[in-house]
Amino acid sequence: MAATIGGVMSPTPPIGRLLSVNVAKMRLIVLNGEPTKTGIYKYPVEGRVMVADNQVGTDRQADYEVHGGYDKAVYAYADEDYRRWAEELGQQMQPGLFGENLTTAGIDVTGALIGERWRIGEALLEVSEPRQPCSKFSHKMGDPGFLKRFAKALRPGAYLRIIEEGEIGAGDSIEVTSRPKHEATIELMSRVAVGERDPIPQLLAAEALSAQWRRWAEGRLPDDGEPS
């Protein structure tokens, strides 16, 4: 099937592959001296998994105020980015380590456009925003400074909305079926998140930008509409 790239039909759409589908094994951890429930400990599952109701199979989040929901229903991280982390950290990286639902290969997650759509198995997903992890991530990695390191690396992975529900599974192809006509990528959003202001007008040009991100970005524009 051809893809619509920037409004133009492309006979050779970008194709990636789903390496694994990962769901949470809930744990209690001690964070700042308090027992805290977390769903960041995800593990690969076998077979087909239903993606529906803003969830991936049996996966659940411990705190729905900051995780999950429509704009953050599915989290994807690229094997290519894991390889870079493995070199930098000098350790093996397993699917699900960063708490992602989908471990991908051959698809540019960091360069994905906001509103870009992926067909995986029966499901149609839409790229929405980069991951901004909480302190549970640093706890899992055993490094109090890992949050800052992760943010500065500009390899955050991508959250996706569920546009069409359906079953997915490891080995499925990932087809980019459409890409909007703007330049707001996951990387660009990440640069804004760590303090850059010049890209804000590009970010606001993305129609699929979530209401929360739009309010946040607009609040960082001065009265003349230009980034401060």
Side-chain angles (χ1 to χ4, degrees), residues 15 19 34 46 58 63 88 120 129 150 164 184 210 217 225:
I15 296 289
L19 296 182
E34 297 290 336
E46 297 181 357
T58 60
D63 185 353
E88 292 177 19
I120 308 177
E129 61 188 73
F150 184 79
E164 293 178 10
S210 71

Side-chain angles (χ1 to χ4, degrees), residues 85-102:
W85 282 114
E87 292 179 2
E88 292 177 19
L89 300 176
Q91 67 182 66
Q92 290 187 332
M93 314 297 281
Q94 302 296 328
L97 178 64
F98 284 1
E100 80 276 8
N101 300 113
L102 312 181

Side-chain angles (χ1 to χ4, degrees), residues 96-110:
L97 178 64
F98 284 1
E100 80 276 8
N101 300 113
L102 312 181
T103 311
T104 68
I107 201 83
D108 187 1
V109 177
T110 303

Side-chain angles (χ1 to χ4, degrees), residues 152-213:
K152 290 180 180 179
L154 301 179
R155 302 190 296 270
Y159 279 117
L160 302 107
R161 305 176 178 111
I162 301 171
I163 304 302
E164 293 178 10
E165 300 178 345
E167 290 188 344
I168 63 174
D172 283 351
S173 62
I174 304 174
E175 178 186 352
V176 178
T177 63
S178 64
R179 304 190 82 205
K181 295 181 179 179
H182 60 68
E183 298 179 353
T185 63
I186 288 294
E187 181 183 0
L188 183 140
M189 290 185 76
S190 299
R191 290 181 7 229
V192 172
V194 297
E196 292 189 31
R197 295 294 175 259
D198 289 343
I200 288 179
Q202 292 173 273
L203 177 58
L204 292 173
E207 292 184 4
L209 188 66
S210 71
Q212 182 178 11
W213 264 89

